[in-house]
Amino acid sequence: MFADRAKIFVKSGRGGDGHVSFRREKYVPNGGPDGGDGGNGGSVVFVVDDGLNTLTDFRHIRKYCAENGEEGGKKNCHGKNGKDIIIKVPAGTVIKEAVSGKVITDMSGDNTRFTLLTGGRGGNGNQHYATSTMQAPKYAQPGQPSKELELLLELKVIADVGLVGFPNVGKSTFLSRVTNAKPKIANYHFTTLNPNLGVVDLDGDGFVIADIPGLIEGASEGIGLGHEFLRHIERTKMLIHIVDAASTEGRDPIEDIYVINRELENYQADIAGRPQIIAANKIDCIFDGEDPVEKIRAEFEPKGIPVYAISAVTGDGVKELLYAVKNRLADIKEKPVIFEQEYDPEAVLRQRDEPHTVTYDAEKDEYVVEGPRIEKMLGYTNLESEKGFAFFQRFLRENGILEELKELGIKEGDTVRLYGLSFDYYPE
């Protein structure tokens, strides 16, 4: 079974804690600190694998965790970094945050490798906190925590041209004739359970064409497998609308075209508005009587939609249709659709896991900064040392706290309070 959606859980590695230790050597009774730094945690990395064309593997494995960093050791030994978790996906996979459905990244075009969650940074060992006044620091920095997220993966096929139409109108037969694709062909509804891709080669120039599974009325509302398949035409530049001109199953080809176009309009108006060419198929099954192809032409060519009579079985009219598609594609200057980022997991998780508040206390005329990460930082930072205070200032700057204080109107000499500690503010 073709799989074009999957929900998975990913988790980066935790940073290793910094180590607290002191040199213990012969004739050196009071050696200085030598605690090593913790290793960095592994990251969650997505990579495009050209050998994949489905998301089937994610049905069996749903949890992906990177390695944690190791704790630092004695004698300035650095903890081992955790290994990244490499997750391979087919080209065209859109990665979304599962709850909101917002796009994190689109693994298409030049985006073949994407670090989704970085591992936690390893903590500093106690050797970093030694100063002239604090020669034996008994604290080290803990490693940063891991990050985790639930993701929705969606495969959206990348093709220049999409084939649309009712089941059994001859799309798979057409694709097998004009490309190197080998779709399974049989006479029943939803013959094609996955989009088949093929390359059309015309005098050394060509384009990618996708046989989108047969749509039915109500597909845009999710009836049948509508939503599962409609997403695959979101990237196409134009559509070939194949109809059974001979009405071999008793349906009216003109009404079929209107029905499918309504489904496209209901699903996404932008898709319905893309250039379209009608391929009136099965002309080898048209015998005596009025020519149905002329009826189709009379209905749609005044609307700017060209109609080509073809037989996917015999090949009649196919070459003319393909050159018409090639010429139309040459006039379309738009680049393939790449879905823009709507959700930055690093920024969101940082705000969610390490919240802080910056407020103004009018009664005491002080600016108050609070939050669990602030409190944790104060616990392992020696503010009496020059190095520790520099780290403290950098922490406030990198976490946007100084910027928030400025937005509240802080001025030089104003007081900032953090969990009982008060400081005078001076711009950097």
Side-chain angles (χ1 to χ4, degrees), residues 314-335:
T314 67
D316 289 347
V318 169
K319 183 178 289 188
E320 291 81 358
L321 170 64
L322 294 179
Y323 276 101
V325 171
K326 177 187 171 184
N327 293 334
R328 193 68 181 269
L329 284 172
D331 294 334
I332 299 173
K333 304 303 181 185
E334 298 176 9
K335 294 182 179 179

PDB file of all heavy atoms in Angstrom, residues 314-335:
ATOM      1  N   THR A 314      -3.769   3.186 -29.352  1.00  0.00           N
ATOM      2  CA  THR A 314      -3.120   3.130 -30.666  1.00  0.00           C
ATOM      3  C   THR A 314      -2.021   4.173 -30.841  1.00  0.00           C
ATOM      4  O   THR A 314      -1.181   4.064 -31.724  1.00  0.00           O
ATOM      5  CB  THR A 314      -4.163   3.342 -31.781  1.00  0.00           C
ATOM      6  OG1 THR A 314      -4.654   4.692 -31.692  1.00  0.00           O
ATOM      7  CG2 THR A 314      -5.317   2.357 -31.631  1.00  0.00           C
ATOM      8  N   GLY A 315      -2.055   5.217 -30.025  1.00  0.00           N
ATOM      9  CA  GLY A 315      -1.065   6.291 -30.129  1.00  0.00           C
ATOM     10  C   GLY A 315      -1.497   7.445 -31.008  1.00  0.00           C
ATOM     11  O   GLY A 315      -0.758   8.437 -31.131  1.00  0.00           O
ATOM     12  N   ASP A 316      -2.663   7.361 -31.629  1.00  0.00           N
ATOM     13  CA  ASP A 316      -3.139   8.445 -32.497  1.00  0.00           C
ATOM     14  C   ASP A 316      -3.262   9.755 -31.706  1.00  0.00           C
ATOM     15  O   ASP A 316      -3.881   9.791 -30.637  1.00  0.00           O
ATOM     16  CB  ASP A 316      -4.505   8.093 -33.100  1.00  0.00           C
ATOM     17  CG  ASP A 316      -4.404   6.996 -34.143  1.00  0.00           C
ATOM     18  OD1 ASP A 316      -3.270   6.703 -34.566  1.00  0.00           O
ATOM     19  OD2 ASP A 316      -5.453   6.430 -34.515  1.00  0.00           O
ATOM     20  N   GLY A 317      -2.695  10.829 -32.259  1.00  0.00           N
ATOM     21  CA  GLY A 317      -2.837  12.164 -31.676  1.00  0.00           C
ATOM     22  C   GLY A 317      -1.991  12.423 -30.449  1.00  0.00           C
ATOM     23  O   GLY A 317      -1.963  13.559 -29.943  1.00  0.00           O
ATOM     24  N   VAL A 318      -1.269  11.404 -29.958  1.00  0.00           N
ATOM     25  CA  VAL A 318      -0.523  11.565 -28.704  1.00  0.00           C
ATOM     26  C   VAL A 318       0.651  12.530 -28.873  1.00  0.00           C
ATOM     27  O   VAL A 318       0.897  13.394 -28.022  1.00  0.00           O
ATOM     28  CB  VAL A 318      -0.039  10.199 -28.184  1.00  0.00           C
ATOM     29  CG1 VAL A 318       0.958  10.377 -27.030  1.00  0.00           C
ATOM     30  CG2 VAL A 318      -1.229   9.360 -27.719  1.00  0.00           C
ATOM     31  N   LYS A 319       1.392  12.397 -29.990  1.00  0.00           N
ATOM     32  CA  LYS A 319       2.556  13.252 -30.197  1.00  0.00           C
ATOM     33  C   LYS A 319       2.155  14.725 -30.265  1.00  0.00           C
ATOM     34  O   LYS A 319       2.823  15.587 -29.670  1.00  0.00           O
ATOM     35  CB  LYS A 319       3.282  12.847 -31.489  1.00  0.00           C
ATOM     36  CG  LYS A 319       4.555  13.655 -31.735  1.00  0.00           C
ATOM     37  CD  LYS A 319       5.281  13.214 -32.997  1.00  0.00           C
ATOM     38  CE  LYS A 319       5.925  11.863 -32.813  1.00  0.00           C
ATOM     39  NZ  LYS A 319       6.792  11.517 -33.981  1.00  0.00           N
ATOM     40  N   GLU A 320       1.062  15.012 -30.954  1.00  0.00           N
ATOM     41  CA  GLU A 320       0.598  16.402 -31.052  1.00  0.00           C
ATOM     42  C   GLU A 320       0.261  16.960 -29.669  1.00  0.00           C
ATOM     43  O   GLU A 320       0.569  18.122 -29.354  1.00  0.00           O
ATOM     44  CB  GLU A 320      -0.624  16.483 -31.967  1.00  0.00           C
ATOM     45  CG  GLU A 320      -0.339  16.218 -33.438  1.00  0.00           C
ATOM     46  CD  GLU A 320      -0.247  14.728 -33.767  1.00  0.00           C
ATOM     47  OE1 GLU A 320      -0.376  13.909 -32.840  1.00  0.00           O
ATOM     48  OE2 GLU A 320      -0.044  14.396 -34.956  1.00  0.00           O
ATOM     49  N   LEU A 321      -0.362  16.120 -28.857  1.00  0.00           N
ATOM     50  CA  LEU A 321      -0.705  16.549 -27.503  1.00  0.00           C
ATOM     51  C   LEU A 321       0.554  16.855 -26.697  1.00  0.00           C
ATOM     52  O   LEU A 321       0.636  17.888 -26.015  1.00  0.00           O
ATOM     53  CB  LEU A 321      -1.524  15.461 -26.799  1.00  0.00           C
ATOM     54  CG  LEU A 321      -1.768  15.651 -25.298  1.00  0.00           C
ATOM     55  CD1 LEU A 321      -2.617  16.891 -25.038  1.00  0.00           C
ATOM     56  CD2 LEU A 321      -2.441  14.428 -24.689  1.00  0.00           C
ATOM     57  N   LEU A 322       1.555  15.988 -26.767  1.00  0.00           N
ATOM     58  CA  LEU A 322       2.768  16.172 -25.974  1.00  0.00           C
ATOM     59  C   LEU A 322       3.513  17.436 -26.369  1.00  0.00           C
ATOM     60  O   LEU A 322       4.031  18.159 -25.504  1.00  0.00           O
ATOM     61  CB  LEU A 322       3.679  14.952 -26.119  1.00  0.00           C
ATOM     62  CG  LEU A 322       3.153  13.642 -25.538  1.00  0.00           C
ATOM     63  CD1 LEU A 322       4.141  12.516 -25.784  1.00  0.00           C
ATOM     64  CD2 LEU A 322       2.868  13.781 -24.044  1.00  0.00           C
ATOM     65  N   TYR A 323       3.591  17.729 -27.662  1.00  0.00           N
ATOM     66  CA  TYR A 323       4.270  18.956 -28.081  1.00  0.00           C
ATOM     67  C   TYR A 323       3.489  20.193 -27.650  1.00  0.00           C
ATOM     68  O   TYR A 323       4.085  21.229 -27.322  1.00  0.00           O
ATOM     69  CB  TYR A 323       4.484  18.956 -29.595  1.00  0.00           C
ATOM     70  CG  TYR A 323       5.746  18.207 -29.992  1.00  0.00           C
ATOM     71  CD1 TYR A 323       5.682  16.908 -30.493  1.00  0.00           C
ATOM     72  CD2 TYR A 323       6.992  18.800 -29.840  1.00  0.00           C
ATOM     73  CE1 TYR A 323       6.846  16.213 -30.840  1.00  0.00           C
ATOM     74  CE2 TYR A 323       8.158  18.122 -30.187  1.00  0.00           C
ATOM     75  CZ  TYR A 323       8.079  16.827 -30.681  1.00  0.00           C
ATOM     76  OH  TYR A 323       9.235  16.157 -31.004  1.00  0.00           O
ATOM     77  N   ALA A 324       2.168  20.084 -27.611  1.00  0.00           N
ATOM     78  CA  ALA A 324       1.355  21.205 -27.126  1.00  0.00           C
ATOM     79  C   ALA A 324       1.630  21.454 -25.639  1.00  0.00           C
ATOM     80  O   ALA A 324       1.735  22.606 -25.193  1.00  0.00           O
ATOM     81  CB  ALA A 324      -0.126  20.920 -27.354  1.00  0.00           C
ATOM     82  N   VAL A 325       1.771  20.360 -24.883  1.00  0.00           N
ATOM     83  CA  VAL A 325       2.080  20.488 -23.451  1.00  0.00           C
ATOM     84  C   VAL A 325       3.468  21.098 -23.264  1.00  0.00           C
ATOM     85  O   VAL A 325       3.664  21.994 -22.428  1.00  0.00           O
ATOM     86  CB  VAL A 325       1.997  19.105 -22.761  1.00  0.00           C
ATOM     87  CG1 VAL A 325       2.530  19.190 -21.327  1.00  0.00           C
ATOM     88  CG2 VAL A 325       0.569  18.589 -22.763  1.00  0.00           C
ATOM     89  N   LYS A 326       4.441  20.618 -24.049  1.00  0.00           N
ATOM     90  CA  LYS A 326       5.807  21.144 -23.955  1.00  0.00           C
ATOM     91  C   LYS A 326       5.840  22.642 -24.228  1.00  0.00           C
ATOM     92  O   LYS A 326       6.492  23.405 -23.498  1.00  0.00           O
ATOM     93  CB  LYS A 326       6.701  20.399 -24.946  1.00  0.00           C
ATOM     94  CG  LYS A 326       8.135  20.913 -24.991  1.00  0.00           C
ATOM     95  CD  LYS A 326       8.914  20.238 -26.112  1.00  0.00           C
ATOM     96  CE  LYS A 326      10.264  20.904 -26.302  1.00  0.00           C
ATOM     97  NZ  LYS A 326      11.017  20.338 -27.434  1.00  0.00           N
ATOM     98  N   ASN A 327       5.143  23.079 -25.264  1.00  0.00           N
ATOM     99  CA  ASN A 327       5.119  24.502 -25.601  1.00  0.00           C
ATOM    100  C   ASN A 327       4.445  25.329 -24.516  1.00  0.00           C
ATOM    101  O   ASN A 327       4.856  26.448 -24.209  1.00  0.00           O
ATOM    102  CB  ASN A 327       4.417  24.717 -26.946  1.00  0.00           C
ATOM    103  CG  ASN A 327       5.203  24.120 -28.106  1.00  0.00           C
ATOM    104  OD1 ASN A 327       6.430  23.972 -28.025  1.00  0.00           O
ATOM    105  ND2 ASN A 327       4.507  23.755 -29.179  1.00  0.00           N
ATOM    106  N   ARG A 328       3.393  24.762 -23.934  1.00  0.00           N
ATOM    107  CA  ARG A 328       2.677  25.477 -22.865  1.00  0.00           C
ATOM    108  C   ARG A 328       3.563  25.617 -21.629  1.00  0.00           C
ATOM    109  O   ARG A 328       3.591  26.674 -20.987  1.00  0.00           O
ATOM    110  CB  ARG A 328       1.392  24.727 -22.525  1.00  0.00           C
ATOM    111  CG  ARG A 328       0.419  25.523 -21.651  1.00  0.00           C
ATOM    112  CD  ARG A 328      -0.148  26.705 -22.432  1.00  0.00           C
ATOM    113  NE  ARG A 328      -1.051  27.497 -21.638  1.00  0.00           N
ATOM    114  CZ  ARG A 328      -2.375  27.301 -21.576  1.00  0.00           C
ATOM    115  NH1 ARG A 328      -2.928  26.317 -22.280  1.00  0.00           N
ATOM    116  NH2 ARG A 328      -3.140  28.086 -20.849  1.00  0.00           N
ATOM    117  N   LEU A 329       4.312  24.548 -21.307  1.00  0.00           N
ATOM    118  CA  LEU A 329       5.208  24.608 -20.155  1.00  0.00           C
ATOM    119  C   LEU A 329       6.294  25.652 -20.356  1.00  0.00           C
ATOM    120  O   LEU A 329       6.713  26.317 -19.408  1.00  0.00           O
ATOM    121  CB  LEU A 329       5.848  23.236 -19.908  1.00  0.00           C
ATOM    122  CG  LEU A 329       4.974  22.167 -19.255  1.00  0.00           C
ATOM    123  CD1 LEU A 329       5.693  20.821 -19.262  1.00  0.00           C
ATOM    124  CD2 LEU A 329       4.612  22.554 -17.823  1.00  0.00           C
ATOM    125  N   ALA A 330       6.762  25.793 -21.600  1.00  0.00           N
ATOM    126  CA  ALA A 330       7.810  26.773 -21.890  1.00  0.00           C
ATOM    127  C   ALA A 330       7.335  28.195 -21.634  1.00  0.00           C
ATOM    128  O   ALA A 330       8.143  29.090 -21.346  1.00  0.00           O
ATOM    129  CB  ALA A 330       8.267  26.626 -23.346  1.00  0.00           C
ATOM    130  N   ASP A 331       6.022  28.421 -21.720  1.00  0.00           N
ATOM    131  CA  ASP A 331       5.469  29.759 -21.500  1.00  0.00           C
ATOM    132  C   ASP A 331       5.213  30.040 -20.020  1.00  0.00           C
ATOM    133  O   ASP A 331       4.929  31.182 -19.649  1.00  0.00           O
ATOM    134  CB  ASP A 331       4.151  29.924 -22.279  1.00  0.00           C
ATOM    135  CG  ASP A 331       4.369  29.896 -23.789  1.00  0.00           C
ATOM    136  OD1 ASP A 331       5.490  30.238 -24.218  1.00  0.00           O
ATOM    137  OD2 ASP A 331       3.429  29.515 -24.514  1.00  0.00           O
ATOM    138  N   ILE A 332       5.266  28.989 -19.205  1.00  0.00           N
ATOM    139  CA  ILE A 332       4.992  29.152 -17.772  1.00  0.00           C
ATOM    140  C   ILE A 332       6.312  29.435 -17.068  1.00  0.00           C
ATOM    141  O   ILE A 332       7.199  28.587 -17.008  1.00  0.00           O
ATOM    142  CB  ILE A 332       4.318  27.889 -17.181  1.00  0.00           C
ATOM    143  CG1 ILE A 332       2.982  27.628 -17.871  1.00  0.00           C
ATOM    144  CG2 ILE A 332       4.112  28.055 -15.672  1.00  0.00           C
ATOM    145  CD1 ILE A 332       2.327  26.316 -17.468  1.00  0.00           C
ATOM    146  N   LYS A 333       6.450  30.626 -16.549  1.00  0.00           N
ATOM    147  CA  LYS A 333       7.717  31.041 -15.950  1.00  0.00           C
ATOM    148  C   LYS A 333       7.783  30.746 -14.456  1.00  0.00           C
ATOM    149  O   LYS A 333       8.829  30.913 -13.830  1.00  0.00           O
ATOM    150  CB  LYS A 333       7.929  32.545 -16.172  1.00  0.00           C
ATOM    151  CG  LYS A 333       7.888  32.967 -17.651  1.00  0.00           C
ATOM    152  CD  LYS A 333       8.919  32.225 -18.478  1.00  0.00           C
ATOM    153  CE  LYS A 333       8.888  32.676 -19.928  1.00  0.00           C
ATOM    154  NZ  LYS A 333       9.803  31.873 -20.774  1.00  0.00           N
ATOM    155  N   GLU A 334       6.685  30.317 -13.873  1.00  0.00           N
ATOM    156  CA  GLU A 334       6.663  30.088 -12.432  1.00  0.00           C
ATOM    157  C   GLU A 334       7.547  28.908 -12.054  1.00  0.00           C
ATOM    158  O   GLU A 334       7.618  27.915 -12.764  1.00  0.00           O
ATOM    159  CB  GLU A 334       5.234  29.810 -11.954  1.00  0.00           C
ATOM    160  CG  GLU A 334       4.279  30.954 -12.179  1.00  0.00           C
ATOM    161  CD  GLU A 334       2.862  30.579 -11.783  1.00  0.00           C
ATOM    162  OE1 GLU A 334       2.686  29.510 -11.187  1.00  0.00           O
ATOM    163  OE2 GLU A 334       1.953  31.355 -12.076  1.00  0.00           O
ATOM    164  N   LYS A 335       8.217  29.044 -10.922  1.00  0.00           N
ATOM    165  CA  LYS A 335       9.011  27.936 -10.400  1.00  0.00           C
ATOM    166  C   LYS A 335       8.082  26.951  -9.697  1.00  0.00           C
ATOM    167  O   LYS A 335       6.981  27.306  -9.287  1.00  0.00           O
ATOM    168  CB  LYS A 335      10.055  28.467  -9.409  1.00  0.00           C
ATOM    169  CG  LYS A 335      11.116  29.344 -10.066  1.00  0.00           C
ATOM    170  CD  LYS A 335      12.150  29.786  -9.044  1.00  0.00           C
ATOM    171  CE  LYS A 335      13.226  30.637  -9.709  1.00  0.00           C
ATOM    172  NZ  LYS A 335      14.241  31.098  -8.737  1.00  0.00           N
TER     173      LYS A 335
END
